[in-house]
Amino acid sequence: MPTITPQKLQQALKHFFGYDDFRLDQRAVIETVLSGNDVMGIMPTGGGKSICYQLPAMLLPGITIVVSPLIALMKDQVDSLLANGIHAAFLNSSQSADEQRSVVSAAQKGEIKLLYIAPERIPANSSSFIEFIRNLNPSLFAVDEAHCISSWGHDFRPEYLKLAILKQSFPNTPVIALTASADKLTQDDILKKLDLQNPKVFISSFNRPNIYYYIRPKKNTVGKIADYILKRKDDCGIIYALSRSSTEEIAGKLHALGIKAAYYHAGLDAIERSRVQEAFQRDEYKVIVATIAFGMGIDKSNVRYVIHHDVPKNIEGYYQETGRAGRDGLRSDAVLFYSTGDIIKLKRFATVDGNPEQTAVSMKKLRQMQDFCEAESCRRQYLMQYFGEPFPAYCGSCDYCLSSLEQKDATIEAQKLLSAIARTGERYGAGYIIDFLRGSASEKIQAAHKDLKTYGIGKELKKEEWQWIIQQMLNHGYLNKTDDQYASLQLNDKSKKILKGETRLMLVSQKTEKETDEEEAELTYDNALMAELRRIRYDLAEAANVPAYNIVPDNTLTELATYFPVSFDELKYISGFGDYKVAKYGGAFLKILQHYVHTNKVASRMHLKGPKKTTKKREVNKDDKPSASNTQYATLSLYREGLSIEEIAGQRNLSVSTIETHLSAFIATGEINIYKLVPERKLDKIIEIINATKQTAALRPLKDLLGDDYSFGEIRFALAYYKITA
Ligand code: ADP
Ligand code: MG
Ligand code: ZN
């Protein structure tokens, strides 16, 4: 495989899957696979592991064989590939002999790029199976959910052990193993059991920044859950409960409160389980109340919330269950209802008779779960540290950070403090330094110190505020304190960087204003438009007989409703629209958007969508400045002050046409309403002429046709408007 440039790789990602940027380690993993190396990729659930083999499959010649443990999961993956126009198929025991034969023959004819195989399809020592694979001449093997090969993992499947034959029979074909399993023991086991050769291992961060974590007291829980759901009726979510009977009970209560919720647990028969699961995938049920039996096979990207009605047994489980929210990268919630009663109940289960070791492990994990729920600190930090990743004390997106803390830039304060310490010779404790900073008149402050410039430069803060800053700087290693009785404050290398202005100091402080709550996230898209987009997506999904998010995921709809692309070209910049989907579904969405733009007299806002913007962004950020230059802004601000175009030209010493060109830029950004510049009647006429003549380059021919009633300025503005709406 000749090396592929980073640019080409990104284009391929967009072309086949419609995504603008790689996530986490996707790029590095893919490049390594393409270079022919064995790879193990570890990414959290929802991190985007599939792309790691799907994109190489599209770029390599021939077929890629994917081993995946669950039939439901397999079907889902294949459906979503087919929805992108990619030739994929699966072989598993759910198919009739005929179906299997036709897949096999298509594969043999080279008509399939990705073939998913269930591990039970691989017989222990079957040379005929190996021959079958050999005839397909595979370019790559992908082992998804690779932790299933390890008895250390939480989901051991003995059939996976047979996968060792892949490397033995095809030593030159690269293998990529993927898992979300965080623990080292399992990781090493995977490498060994699959017999990977000089594998490169990529471990992505386990942080899921789009998931907001909340812990709530367990009181009137079902009522609170119902309130929560009723506020977001369009969203899908999962409610986990500990016992089978409580899932049924909760679903019943929700029903009584007007919420259509299904329940799911291992006590239901297989047909009912798959019915519920499929209905959830297709958004027919938006709410599922389930035991932890539900989830492994769920590959639904738009789960907006995961609620734990009961406390989970351990952090691993909690993390995995909450990880099912927000796979599409959009903001999602994880809400856990906590009570010590639950902990006491779980302690009884944690005891394994006759196995003190196992009991001790379970007890320890339970204690950690309890610590997590009761901790007076950032939830995300706790989770990350639990998985061995360092993380700062403030995430800004958990109940703790949102309700009581905020992060502030305290660089100036830190510089004052540090120079006070330096000036007084690094010999004094916190009390003295604070008095000195605050300009205390006390005789305790040495006379010579009172002459220093730094004396009294910290008057604006209270004593307690300085204490808080010093404490945090010590905690974060920006200051040293001597161990002797004086506890003198001293500078270190990190403090010097702050003094020089090379690092900024961000500190967490108690929030002064009113609490911000999770409900406050405000959206800047129009809900009516969103509803229409959902409807058309639903229609398309019905027609194609696939789940709705298979047409396009939720974040794609959000982007559409936020930026109003109105042409096929613009559509290509929307995340989720690869070339295939643009061609297949683009028209249907564009029709709605064009109608919307027209009836609401708004312009496309695609220019607000920066090329680098990730799909995570849910709302249009107020700071998003369109690409207008400073001189254009200078014109805009005079215009906003009410000056006429001629006056602005005079004041800025620029020509009228230059000023008009400046203002045109803001028609495109939506900052100036076209009707303020061109009366509607005239605008319609000009647009009509432009449409008729297709003349968009020069003003003169249009002016000649329109006559003296129309100024050059008006025509210029109308053209700018035309260009963004056409
Ligand atoms: P995992 O297998 O790691 O749990 P998936 O491969 O199922 O995750 O991907 C989760 C979601 O993220 C899917 O909806 C997928 O379409 C989406 N996704 C993956 N990679 C990207 C990307 N680079 N940009 C945007 N969305 C992505
Ligand atoms: Mg996966
Ligand atoms: Zn936090």
Side-chain angles (χ1 to χ4, degrees), residues 100-350:
Q100 299 198 24
R101 254 193 303 278
S102 90
V103 170
V104 168
S105 105
Q108 278 162 344
K109 280 189 241 152
E111 291 168 0
I112 290 173
K113 286 302 287 178
L114 283 121
L115 180 63
Y116 284 72
I117 296 186
E120 67 266 17
R121 288 271 322 177
I122 304 176
N125 265 318
S126 164
S127 49
S128 68
F129 180 77
I130 297 293
E131 273 327 292
F132 163 64
I133 302 276
R134 200 181 298 285
N135 281 333
L136 298 180
N137 193 17
S139 301
L140 174 66
F141 293 110
V143 180
D144 205 2
E145 313 288 350
H147 57 274
C148 293
I149 204 172
S150 171
S151 48
W152 299 110
H154 51 82
D155 192 29
F156 176 52
R157 285 160 194 259
E159 315 89 80
Y160 258 64
L161 290 172
K162 290 182 287 189
L163 297 178
I165 60 164
L166 292 179
K167 208 67 215 182
Q168 287 155 16
S169 315
F170 304 94
N172 297 320
T173 308
V175 172
I176 172 172
L178 295 158
T179 177
S181 182
D183 80 88
K184 186 85 174 70
L185 222 49
T186 311
Q187 290 168 13
D188 291 345
D189 212 22
I190 293 170
L191 297 178
K192 205 172 83 204
K193 298 249 166 70
L194 282 176
D195 199 13
L196 299 190
Q197 303 300 304
N198 296 321
K200 293 228 171 123
V201 179
F202 295 89
I203 303 178
S204 296
S205 168
F206 270 66
N207 186 20
R208 295 284 308 275
N210 62 313
I211 300 182
Y212 282 50
Y213 298 95
Y214 300 95
I215 311 252
R216 297 278 182 248
K218 190 167 177 176
K219 252 189 271 162
N220 176 26
T221 308
V222 176
K224 282 190 204 147
I225 292 176
D227 282 349
Y228 178 93
I229 295 172
L230 289 170
K231 276 190 199 138
R232 30 179 87 60
K233 283 195 189 129
D234 285 335
D235 291 349
C236 298
I238 306 172
I239 299 158
Y240 282 109
L242 205 57
S243 70
R244 295 175 183 186
S245 60
S246 56
T247 61
E248 298 186 15
E249 198 182 307
I250 296 164
K253 286 186 192 166
L254 290 176
H255 237 274
L257 293 167
I259 294 163
K260 187 180 161 202
Y263 58 86
Y264 182 106
H265 55 70
L268 303 174
D269 64 39
I271 296 172
E272 173 63 4
R273 286 207 309 265
S274 68
R275 184 191 72 82
V276 172
Q277 184 164 324
E278 294 242 320
F280 183 59
Q281 305 267 36
R282 284 167 190 267
D283 288 351
E284 283 157 22
Y285 283 121
K286 296 210 186 291
V287 184
I288 302 285
V289 191
T291 61
I292 55 170
F294 185 73
M296 203 5 197
I298 302 295
D299 200 0
K300 189 170 163 63
S301 67
N302 65 339
V303 176
R304 285 277 74 80
Y305 56 87
V306 168
I307 297 176
H308 281 91
H309 178 274
D310 304 306
V311 178
K313 279 190 260 192
N314 51 49
I315 302 267
E316 283 89 353
Y318 169 76
Y319 180 79
Q320 195 167 48
E321 283 135 33
T322 55
R324 296 190 177 119
R327 284 174 171 231
D328 52 14
L330 288 184
R331 181 183 161 163
S332 308
D333 292 342
V335 186
L336 186 160
F337 288 93
Y338 175 73
S339 77
T340 38
D342 272 9
I343 298 287
I344 293 166
K345 213 188 297 175
L346 287 168
K347 272 190 184 151
R348 286 205 299 271
F349 293 125

Side-chain angles (χ1 to χ4, degrees), residues 673-707:
N673 184 335
I674 177 77
Y675 299 104
K676 294 251 162 68
L677 294 168
V678 190
E680 187 168 355
R681 173 187 56 83
K682 283 187 163 183
L683 182 66
D684 287 349
K685 181 75 190 166
I686 305 174
I687 299 284
E688 195 187 309
I689 300 287
I690 298 172
N691 271 328
T693 59
K694 290 276 163 266
Q695 174 60 61
T696 56
L699 301 181
R700 172 53 74 185
L702 293 170
K703 173 91 169 107
D704 289 346
L705 286 167
L706 286 158

Side-chain angles (χ1 to χ4, degrees), residues 19 21-23 26 44-51 299 301 327:
Y19 304 135
D21 295 298
F22 289 101
R23 282 184 182 166
Q26 281 177 340
T45 304
K49 289 185 282 296
S50 318
I51 293 288
D299 200 0
S301 67
R327 284 174 171 231

Side-chain angles (χ1 to χ4, degrees), residues 541-711:
E542 285 288 285
N545 195 28
V546 295
Y549 61 85
N550 229 320
I551 303 293
V552 288
D554 274 16
N555 56 334
T556 302
L557 293 189
T558 314
E559 286 202 2
L560 292 176
T562 307
Y563 299 111
F564 327 140
V566 290
S567 65
F568 282 99
D569 260 353
E570 287 187 338
L571 211 50
K572 291 193 183 138
Y573 292 97
I574 296 291
S575 173
F577 267 110
D579 294 343
Y580 180 82
K581 283 192 181 172
V582 168
K584 184 144 186 209
Y585 306 121
F589 287 104
L590 283 178
K591 216 160 131 190
I592 289 182
L593 291 161
Q594 284 161 348
H595 181 75
Y596 179 84
V597 165
H598 189 75
T599 45
N600 292 285
K601 304 221 184 308
V602 290
S604 158
R605 299 200 288 207
M606 284 304 286
H607 55 280
L608 293 174
K609 188 170 156 43
K612 279 264 158 348
K613 188 149 309 153
T614 70
T615 55
K616 284 182 190 127
K617 195 153 258 171
R618 180 156 189 175
E619 45 199 288
V620 183
N621 198 319
K622 288 183 208 71
D623 300 334
D624 274 347
K625 283 274 179 294
S627 53
S629 66
N630 286 338
T631 176
Q632 289 172 336
Y633 273 109
T635 296
L636 178 67
S637 87
L638 292 173
Y639 174 79
R640 283 188 172 151
E641 284 171 25
L643 273 65
S644 72
I645 291 173
E646 287 73 21
E647 284 166 339
I648 300 172
Q651 187 158 336
R652 299 209 60 205
N653 207 10
L654 294 168
S655 73
V656 165
S657 66
T658 303
I659 300 299
E660 286 168 358
T661 309
H662 288 177
L663 293 178
S664 297
F666 296 105
I667 294 170
T669 66
E671 278 162 280
I672 294 183
N673 184 335
I674 177 77
Y675 299 104
K676 294 251 162 68
L677 294 168
V678 190
E680 187 168 355
R681 173 187 56 83
K682 283 187 163 183
L683 182 66
D684 287 349
K685 181 75 190 166
I686 305 174
I687 299 284
E688 195 187 309
I689 300 287
I690 298 172
N691 271 328
T693 59
K694 290 276 163 266
Q695 174 60 61
T696 56
L699 301 181
R700 172 53 74 185
L702 293 170
K703 173 91 169 107
D704 289 346
L705 286 167
L706 286 158
D708 286 345
D709 268 359
Y710 295 77
S711 70

Side-chain angles (χ1 to χ4, degrees), residues 231 234-235 521-535 557-558 561-562 564 596 618:
K231 276 190 199 138
D234 285 335
D235 291 349
E522 162 210 356
L523 303 175
T524 56
Y525 59 73
D526 182 341
N527 284 327
L529 174 59
M530 192 65 182
E532 268 193 78
L533 294 169
R534 269 185 211 283
R535 191 186 45 72
L557 293 189
T558 314
T562 307
F564 327 140
Y596 179 84
R618 180 156 189 175

